[in-house]
Coordinates of all heavy atoms in Angstrom, one line a residue:
M1 N 91.4 93.1 120.7 CA 91.7 92.0 119.9 C 91.4 92.3 118.5 O 90.4 92.9 118.2 CB 90.9 90.8 120.4 CG 91.2 89.6 119.6 SD 90.4 88.2 120.5 CE 89.4 87.5 119.3
K2 N 92.3 92.0 117.5 CA 92.1 92.2 116.1 C 91.8 90.9 115.4 O 92.5 89.8 115.8 CB 93.3 92.9 115.5 CG 93.5 94.3 116.1 CD 94.6 95.0 115.4 CE 94.8 96.3 116.0 NZ 95.9 97.1 115.4
L3 N 90.9 90.9 114.4 CA 90.6 89.7 113.7 C 90.7 90.0 112.2 O 90.4 91.2 111.8 CB 89.2 89.2 114.0 CG 88.9 88.6 115.4 CD1 87.4 88.4 115.5 CD2 89.7 87.3 115.6
F4 N 90.9 89.0 111.4 CA 90.8 89.2 110.0 C 89.3 89.1 109.6 O 88.6 88.4 110.2 CB 91.6 88.1 109.2 CG 93.0 88.2 109.3 CD1 93.8 87.4 110.1 CD2 93.7 89.2 108.5 CE1 95.2 87.5 110.2 CE2 95.1 89.3 108.6 CZ 95.8 88.4 109.4
A5 N 88.9 89.9 108.6 CA 87.5 89.9 108.1 C 87.1 88.4 107.8 O 85.9 88.0 108.0 CB 87.3 90.8 107.0
T6 N 88.0 87.6 107.2 CA 87.6 86.3 106.8 C 87.3 85.4 108.1 O 86.5 84.5 107.9 CB 88.8 85.6 106.1 OG1 90.0 85.7 106.8 CG2 89.0 86.3 104.7
E7 N 87.8 85.8 109.2 CA 87.4 85.0 110.4 C 86.0 85.3 110.9 O 85.5 84.5 111.7 CB 88.4 85.4 111.5 CG 89.9 84.9 111.3 CD 90.8 85.3 112.4 OE1 90.7 84.8 113.5 OE2 91.6 86.2 112.2
L8 N 85.4 86.3 110.4 CA 84.1 86.7 110.9 C 83.0 86.1 110.0 O 81.8 86.0 110.4 CB 83.9 88.2 110.9 CG 84.8 89.0 111.9 CD1 84.7 90.4 111.8 CD2 84.5 88.5 113.3
K9 N 83.4 85.8 108.7 CA 82.4 85.2 107.8 C 81.8 83.9 108.4 O 82.5 83.1 109.0 CB 83.1 84.9 106.4 CG 83.4 86.2 105.7 CD 84.0 85.8 104.3 CE 84.4 87.1 103.6 NZ 85.0 86.8 102.3
G10 N 80.5 83.7 108.2 CA 79.8 82.6 108.7 C 79.3 82.7 110.1 O 78.6 81.8 110.6
K11 N 79.6 83.8 110.8 CA 79.1 84.0 112.2 C 77.8 84.6 112.1 O 77.4 85.3 111.2 CB 80.1 84.9 112.9 CG 81.5 84.3 113.2 CD 82.2 85.2 114.2 CE 83.6 84.6 114.4 NZ 83.6 83.4 115.3
T12 N 77.0 84.3 113.2 CA 75.6 84.9 113.3 C 75.7 86.3 113.6 O 76.5 86.8 114.4 CB 74.9 84.1 114.4 OG1 74.8 82.8 114.1 CG2 73.5 84.7 114.6
V13 N 74.9 87.1 112.9 CA 74.8 88.6 113.2 C 73.5 88.9 113.9 O 72.4 88.4 113.6 CB 74.8 89.3 111.8 CG1 74.6 90.9 112.1 CG2 76.1 89.0 111.0
M14 N 73.7 89.6 115.0 CA 72.5 90.0 115.8 C 72.6 91.5 116.2 O 73.6 92.0 116.3 CB 72.3 89.1 117.0 CG 73.4 89.3 118.1 SD 73.3 88.2 119.6 CE 71.7 87.5 119.6
T15 N 71.4 92.0 116.5 CA 71.4 93.4 117.0 C 71.7 93.4 118.5 O 71.8 92.4 119.2 CB 70.0 94.0 116.8 OG1 69.0 93.2 117.5 CG2 69.6 94.0 115.3
E16 N 71.9 94.6 119.0 CA 72.2 94.8 120.4 C 71.1 94.3 121.3 O 71.3 93.9 122.5 CB 72.5 96.3 120.8 CG 73.8 96.8 120.1 CD 74.0 98.3 120.5 OE1 73.1 99.1 120.2 OE2 75.0 98.6 121.1
D17 N 69.8 94.3 120.8 CA 68.7 93.9 121.6 C 68.4 92.4 121.5 O 67.4 91.8 122.0 CB 67.5 94.7 121.4 CG 66.9 94.6 120.0 OD1 67.6 93.9 119.1 OD2 65.9 95.2 119.7
G18 N 69.3 91.7 120.8 CA 69.2 90.2 120.7 C 68.5 89.6 119.5 O 68.3 88.4 119.3
Q19 N 68.0 90.5 118.5 CA 67.4 90.0 117.3 C 68.4 89.4 116.4 O 69.4 90.0 115.9 CB 66.6 91.1 116.6 CG 65.9 90.6 115.3 CD 65.3 91.7 114.5 OE1 65.5 92.9 114.8 NE2 64.6 91.3 113.5
I20 N 68.2 88.1 116.0 CA 69.2 87.5 115.1 C 68.7 87.9 113.7 O 67.6 87.7 113.3 CB 69.1 85.9 115.3 CG1 69.7 85.6 116.6 CG2 69.9 85.3 114.2 CD1 69.7 84.1 117.0
L21 N 69.7 88.5 112.9 CA 69.4 88.9 111.6 C 69.8 87.9 110.5 O 69.2 87.8 109.5 CB 70.2 90.2 111.3 CG 69.8 91.4 112.2 CD1 70.7 92.6 112.0 CD2 68.3 91.7 112.0
G22 N 70.9 87.1 110.8 CA 71.3 86.1 109.8 C 72.8 85.7 110.0 O 73.3 85.9 111.1
V23 N 73.4 85.3 108.9 CA 74.8 84.9 108.9 C 75.6 85.8 108.0 O 75.2 86.1 106.9 CB 74.9 83.4 108.5 CG1 76.3 83.0 108.3 CG2 74.1 82.5 109.4
L24 N 76.7 86.2 108.5 CA 77.6 87.1 107.7 C 78.2 86.4 106.5 O 78.8 85.3 106.7 CB 78.7 87.6 108.6 CG 79.7 88.6 107.9 CD1 79.0 89.9 107.5 CD2 80.9 88.9 108.7
V25 N 78.0 86.9 105.3 CA 78.5 86.4 104.1 C 79.8 87.1 103.7 O 80.8 86.5 103.3 CB 77.4 86.5 102.9 CG1 78.0 86.0 101.6 CG2 76.2 85.8 103.3
D26 N 79.7 88.5 103.8 CA 80.9 89.3 103.3 C 80.7 90.7 103.8 O 79.7 91.1 104.4 CB 81.0 89.3 101.8 CG 82.4 89.3 101.3 OD1 83.3 89.8 102.1 OD2 82.6 88.9 100.2
F27 N 81.7 91.6 103.5 CA 81.6 93.0 103.8 C 81.7 93.7 102.5 O 82.2 93.3 101.5 CB 82.9 93.4 104.6 CG 82.9 92.9 106.0 CD1 83.7 91.8 106.4 CD2 82.1 93.4 107.0 CE1 83.7 91.3 107.7 CE2 82.1 93.0 108.3 CZ 82.9 91.9 108.6
I28 N 81.1 94.9 102.5 CA 81.1 95.8 101.4 C 82.0 97.0 101.8 O 81.8 97.6 102.9 CB 79.7 96.3 101.0 CG1 78.9 95.1 100.6 CG2 79.8 97.3 99.8 CD1 77.4 95.4 100.3
M29 N 83.1 97.2 101.1 CA 84.1 98.2 101.5 C 84.1 99.4 100.5 O 83.9 99.2 99.3 CB 85.4 97.5 101.5 CG 86.5 98.2 102.2 SD 87.9 97.0 102.4 CE 89.0 97.9 101.4
D30 N 84.4 100.6 101.0 CA 84.7 101.7 100.1 C 86.1 101.7 99.7 O 87.0 101.8 100.5 CB 84.3 103.0 100.9 CG 84.5 104.3 100.1 OD1 85.3 104.3 99.1 OD2 83.7 105.2 100.3
T31 N 86.4 101.5 98.4 CA 87.7 101.4 97.9 C 88.5 102.7 98.0 O 89.7 102.6 98.0 CB 87.8 100.8 96.5 OG1 87.0 101.7 95.7 CG2 87.2 99.4 96.4
K32 N 87.8 103.8 98.1 CA 88.5 105.1 98.2 C 89.1 105.3 99.6 O 90.2 105.8 99.8 CB 87.7 106.3 97.8 CG 87.4 106.3 96.3 CD 86.5 107.4 95.9 CE 86.2 107.4 94.4 NZ 85.4 108.4 94.0
T33 N 88.2 105.0 100.6 CA 88.6 105.3 102.0 C 89.2 104.0 102.7 O 89.9 104.1 103.7 CB 87.4 105.8 102.8 OG1 86.4 104.7 102.9 CG2 86.8 107.0 102.2
G34 N 88.8 102.8 102.2 CA 89.3 101.6 102.8 C 88.4 101.2 104.0 O 88.6 100.2 104.7
K35 N 87.3 101.9 104.3 CA 86.4 101.6 105.4 C 85.3 100.7 105.0 O 84.8 100.7 103.8 CB 85.8 102.9 105.9 CG 86.8 103.9 106.6 CD 86.1 105.1 107.1 CE 87.1 105.9 107.9 NZ 86.4 107.1 108.5
I36 N 84.9 99.8 105.9 CA 83.8 98.9 105.7 C 82.5 99.8 105.7 O 82.3 100.5 106.7 CB 83.7 97.8 106.8 CG1 85.0 97.0 106.7 CG2 82.5 97.0 106.6 CD1 85.1 95.9 107.8
Q37 N 81.8 99.7 104.6 CA 80.5 100.4 104.6 C 79.3 99.7 105.1 O 78.5 100.2 105.8 CB 80.2 100.7 103.1 CG 81.0 101.8 102.5 CD 80.5 102.1 101.1 OE1 80.1 101.3 100.4 NE2 80.6 103.4 100.7
S38 N 79.3 98.4 104.9 CA 78.2 97.6 105.3 C 78.5 96.1 105.3 O 79.6 95.7 104.8 CB 76.9 97.8 104.5 OG 77.2 97.7 103.1
M39 N 77.6 95.3 105.9 CA 77.8 93.8 106.0 C 76.8 93.2 105.0 O 75.6 93.7 104.9 CB 77.5 93.3 107.4 CG 78.5 93.8 108.4 SD 78.1 93.0 110.0 CE 76.8 94.0 110.6
L40 N 77.1 92.1 104.4 CA 76.2 91.4 103.5 C 75.8 90.2 104.3 O 76.7 89.4 104.7 CB 77.0 91.0 102.2 CG 76.1 90.5 101.1 CD1 75.1 91.5 100.7 CD2 77.0 90.2 99.9
V41 N 74.6 90.0 104.6 CA 74.1 89.0 105.6 C 73.0 88.1 104.9 O 72.1 88.6 104.3 CB 73.5 89.6 106.9 CG1 72.9 88.6 107.8 CG2 74.6 90.4 107.5
S42 N 73.2 86.8 105.0 CA 72.1 85.9 104.5 C 71.1 85.9 105.7 O 71.4 85.6 106.8 CB 72.7 84.5 104.4 OG 71.8 83.6 104.0
P43 N 69.8 86.3 105.3 CA 68.8 86.5 106.4 C 68.4 85.2 107.1 O 68.3 84.2 106.5 CB 67.7 87.2 105.7 CG 67.8 86.8 104.2 CD 69.3 86.6 104.0
A44 N 68.1 85.4 108.4 CA 67.5 84.3 109.2 C 66.1 84.1 108.7 O 65.5 85.0 108.1 CB 67.6 84.7 110.7
E45 N 65.5 82.9 109.0 CA 64.2 82.6 108.5 C 63.1 83.5 109.1 O 62.1 83.8 108.4 CB 63.8 81.2 109.0 CG 64.5 80.1 108.2 CD 64.0 78.7 108.6 OE1 62.9 78.5 109.1 OE2 64.8 77.8 108.4
N46 N 63.3 84.0 110.3 CA 62.3 84.9 110.9 C 62.5 86.4 110.5 O 61.7 87.2 111.0 CB 62.3 84.8 112.4 CG 63.6 85.2 113.0 OD1 64.7 85.2 112.4 ND2 63.6 85.6 114.3
V47 N 63.4 86.7 109.7 CA 63.7 88.1 109.3 C 62.9 88.4 108.0 O 63.0 87.6 107.0 CB 65.2 88.4 109.1 CG1 65.5 89.7 108.4 CG2 65.9 88.3 110.4
E48 N 62.2 89.5 108.0 CA 61.5 90.0 106.8 C 62.4 90.8 105.9 O 62.7 92.0 106.2 CB 60.3 90.8 107.2 CG 59.4 91.2 106.0 CD 58.9 90.0 105.2 OE1 58.2 89.1 105.7 OE2 59.2 90.0 104.0
P49 N 63.0 90.3 104.8 CA 63.9 91.0 104.0 C 63.4 92.3 103.4 O 64.2 93.2 103.2 CB 64.3 90.0 102.8 CG 63.9 88.7 103.4 CD 62.8 88.9 104.3
R50 N 62.1 92.4 103.2 CA 61.6 93.7 102.6 C 61.8 94.9 103.5 O 61.6 96.0 103.1 CB 60.2 93.5 102.1 CG 59.2 93.3 103.2 CD 57.8 93.0 102.7 NE 56.9 92.6 103.7 CZ 56.3 93.5 104.5 NH1 56.4 94.8 104.4 NH2 55.5 93.0 105.5
L51 N 62.1 94.6 104.8 CA 62.3 95.7 105.8 C 63.7 96.2 105.7 O 64.0 97.2 106.4 CB 62.0 95.2 107.2 CG 60.6 94.7 107.5 CD1 60.5 94.2 108.9 CD2 59.6 95.8 107.2
F52 N 64.6 95.6 104.9 CA 66.0 96.0 104.8 C 66.3 96.2 103.3 O 65.7 95.7 102.4 CB 66.9 94.9 105.3 CG 66.6 94.6 106.8 CD1 65.7 93.6 107.2 CD2 67.4 95.3 107.8 CE1 65.5 93.3 108.5 CE2 67.2 95.0 109.1 CZ 66.3 94.0 109.5
K53 N 67.5 96.9 103.1 CA 68.0 97.0 101.8 C 68.6 95.6 101.5 O 69.3 95.0 102.3 CB 69.1 98.1 101.8 CG 69.7 98.4 100.5 CD 70.7 99.5 100.6 CE 71.3 99.8 99.2 NZ 72.3 100.9 99.4
T54 N 68.4 95.1 100.2 CA 68.9 93.8 99.9 C 69.6 93.9 98.5 O 69.4 94.8 97.7 CB 67.8 92.8 99.8 OG1 66.8 93.2 98.8 CG2 67.1 92.5 101.1
D55 N 70.4 92.8 98.3 CA 71.1 92.7 97.0 C 70.2 91.8 96.1 O 69.2 91.3 96.5 CB 72.5 92.2 97.1 CG 72.6 90.7 97.5 OD1 71.5 90.1 97.7 OD2 73.7 90.1 97.5
P56 N 70.6 91.6 94.8 CA 69.7 90.9 93.9 C 69.5 89.4 94.4 O 68.5 88.8 93.9 CB 70.5 90.9 92.6 CG 71.4 92.1 92.6 CD 71.7 92.3 94.1
E57 N 70.4 88.9 95.2 CA 70.2 87.5 95.7 C 69.4 87.4 97.0 O 69.2 86.4 97.6 CB 71.6 86.9 95.9 CG 72.4 86.7 94.6 CD 73.7 86.1 94.8 OE1 73.9 85.3 95.7 OE2 74.6 86.5 94.1
G58 N 68.9 88.6 97.4 CA 68.0 88.6 98.6 C 68.8 88.7 100.0 O 68.2 88.6 101.0
R59 N 70.1 88.9 99.9 CA 70.9 89.1 101.1 C 70.7 90.5 101.6 O 70.6 91.4 100.9 CB 72.4 88.8 100.8 CG 72.6 87.3 100.4 CD 74.0 87.0 100.0 NE 74.3 87.8 98.8 CZ 75.4 87.6 98.1 NH1 76.3 86.6 98.4 NH2 75.7 88.4 97.0
L60 N 70.8 90.6 102.9 CA 70.6 91.9 103.6 C 71.9 92.7 103.4 O 73.0 92.2 103.6 CB 70.3 91.8 105.1 CG 69.1 90.8 105.4 CD1 69.0 90.8 106.9 CD2 67.9 91.2 104.8
I61 N 71.8 94.0 103.1 CA 72.9 94.9 103.1 C 72.7 95.8 104.3 O 71.8 96.7 104.3 CB 72.9 95.8 101.8 CG1 73.0 94.8 100.6 CG2 74.1 96.8 101.8 CD1 72.9 95.6 99.3
L62 N 73.5 95.6 105.3 CA 73.3 96.2 106.6 C 74.4 97.3 106.9 O 75.6 96.9 107.0 CB 73.3 95.2 107.8 CG 72.3 94.2 107.7 CD1 72.5 93.1 108.8 CD2 70.9 94.7 107.8
S63 N 74.0 98.5 107.0 CA 74.9 99.6 107.4 C 74.9 99.6 108.9 O 73.9 99.4 109.5 CB 74.5 100.9 106.9 OG 74.5 100.9 105.5
F64 N 76.1 99.9 109.5 CA 76.2 99.8 110.9 C 77.1 100.9 111.5 O 77.9 101.4 110.8 CB 76.7 98.5 111.4 CG 78.1 98.1 110.8 CD1 79.2 98.4 111.5 CD2 78.2 97.6 109.5 CE1 80.5 98.1 111.0 CE2 79.5 97.3 109.0 CZ 80.6 97.6 109.8
K65 N 76.8 101.3 112.8 CA 77.6 102.2 113.5 C 78.8 101.6 114.1 O 79.9 102.1 114.2 CB 76.8 103.0 114.5 CG 75.7 103.9 114.0 CD 74.9 104.5 115.1 CE 73.8 105.3 114.6 NZ 73.0 105.9 115.6
A66 N 78.5 100.4 114.7 CA 79.5 99.7 115.4 C 79.2 98.2 115.4 O 78.1 97.8 115.2 CB 79.6 100.2 116.9
M67 N 80.3 97.4 115.6 CA 80.1 95.9 115.7 C 81.2 95.4 116.5 O 82.2 95.9 116.7 CB 80.1 95.3 114.3 CG 81.4 95.1 113.7 SD 81.3 94.1 112.2 CE 82.9 94.3 111.6
K68 N 80.9 94.2 117.2 CA 81.9 93.5 118.0 C 81.6 92.1 117.9 O 80.5 91.6 117.8 CB 81.9 94.0 119.4 CG 80.6 93.8 120.2 CD 80.7 94.4 121.6 CE 79.4 94.3 122.3 NZ 79.4 94.8 123.6
A69 N 82.7 91.3 117.8 CA 82.6 89.9 117.7 C 82.7 89.3 119.2 O 83.6 89.6 119.9 CB 83.7 89.3 116.9
V70 N 81.7 88.5 119.5 CA 81.7 87.8 120.8 C 81.5 86.3 120.6 O 80.4 85.9 120.2 CB 80.5 88.4 121.7 CG1 80.5 87.7 123.0 CG2 80.5 89.9 121.8
K71 N 82.6 85.6 120.8 CA 82.6 84.1 120.4 C 82.1 83.9 119.0 O 82.8 84.3 118.1 CB 81.8 83.4 121.5 CG 82.4 83.5 122.8 CD 81.9 82.3 123.7 CE 82.6 82.5 125.1 NZ 82.9 81.3 125.7
D72 N 81.0 83.2 118.8 CA 80.5 82.9 117.5 C 79.4 83.9 117.0 O 78.7 83.6 116.0 CB 80.0 81.5 117.4 CG 81.1 80.5 117.6 OD1 82.3 80.8 117.3 OD2 80.8 79.4 118.1
V73 N 79.3 85.0 117.6 CA 78.3 85.9 117.2 C 78.9 87.3 117.0 O 79.8 87.8 117.7 CB 77.2 86.1 118.4 CG1 76.2 87.1 118.1 CG2 76.6 84.7 118.6
I74 N 78.3 88.1 116.0 CA 78.7 89.5 115.8 C 77.5 90.3 116.3 O 76.4 90.2 115.8 CB 78.9 89.7 114.3 CG1 80.1 88.9 113.8 CG2 79.2 91.2 114.0 CD1 80.3 88.9 112.3
V75 N 77.7 91.2 117.2 CA 76.7 92.1 117.7 C 76.9 93.4 117.1 O 78.0 94.0 117.1 CB 76.8 92.2 119.3 CG1 75.7 93.2 119.8 CG2 76.7 90.9 120.0
T76 N 75.9 93.9 116.5 CA 76.0 95.2 115.7 C 75.0 96.2 116.1 O 73.9 95.9 116.5 CB 75.8 94.8 114.2 OG1 76.0 96.0 113.4 CG2 74.4 94.3 113.8
Q77 N 75.4 97.4 116.0 CA 74.6 98.6 116.2 C 74.3 99.2 114.8 O 75.2 99.7 114.2 CB 75.2 99.6 117.1 CG 74.4 100.8 117.4 CD 75.1 101.9 118.2 OE1 76.3 101.8 118.5 NE2 74.5 102.9 118.6
L78 N 73.0 98.9 114.3 CA 72.7 99.3 113.0 C 72.6 100.8 112.9 O 72.2 101.6 113.8 CB 71.4 98.7 112.6 CG 71.3 97.2 112.5 CD1 69.9 96.7 112.2 CD2 72.3 96.7 111.5
A79 N 73.0 101.3 111.6 CA 72.9 102.7 111.3 C 71.5 103.1 111.1 O 70.7 102.3 110.7 CB 73.8 103.1 110.2
D80 N 71.1 104.3 111.3 CA 69.7 104.8 111.1 C 69.4 104.9 109.7 O 70.1 105.0 108.8 CB 69.5 106.1 111.8 CG 69.7 106.0 113.3 OD1 69.4 104.9 113.9 OD2 70.1 107.0 113.9

């Protein structure tokens, strides 16, 4: 199944082991290759932003190996 990126915005982002990271705000894309580099996520209350790369507004910049949308949740495998 294919989805537009805009359909994923506002969905909850969680890791494969069930940790909720926050809500998807946008994607960061490489304009040369056209590939999505990372997700921009508004962090959940229980997430410690200092453990992640963040933008000036405190949103998490998450690099990932894979992701899949399941109903209202995006399950992601974070890159090392």
Side-chain angles (χ1 to χ4, degrees):
M1 181 169 125
K2 295 181 181 181
L3 293 173
F4 289 106
T6 54
E7 293 179 69
L8 297 174
K9 290 181 183 179
K11 292 192 182 283
T12 300
V13 177
M14 71 181 345
T15 61
E16 290 180 306
D17 63 358
Q19 179 188 7
I20 295 176
L21 300 173
V23 175
L24 180 66
V25 175
D26 214 338
F27 291 102
I28 299 172
M29 198 170 112
D30 184 328
T31 56
K32 291 181 182 178
T33 65
K35 292 185 178 183
I36 297 173
Q37 286 185 324
S38 50
M39 292 184 281
L40 192 60
V41 175
S42 178
E45 286 184 25
N46 63 335
V47 170
E48 184 57 59
R50 64 182 174 85
L51 300 176
F52 298 90
K53 186 176 177 183
T54 58
D55 74 353
E57 295 178 34
R59 299 175 295 192
L60 310 178
I61 301 172
L62 302 175
S63 296
F64 59 94
K65 292 180 185 175
M67 74 170 171
K68 61 183 172 181
V70 182
K71 296 203 180 215
D72 291 334
V73 177
I74 298 169
V75 180
T76 185
Q77 181 182 6
L78 297 177
D80 298 327

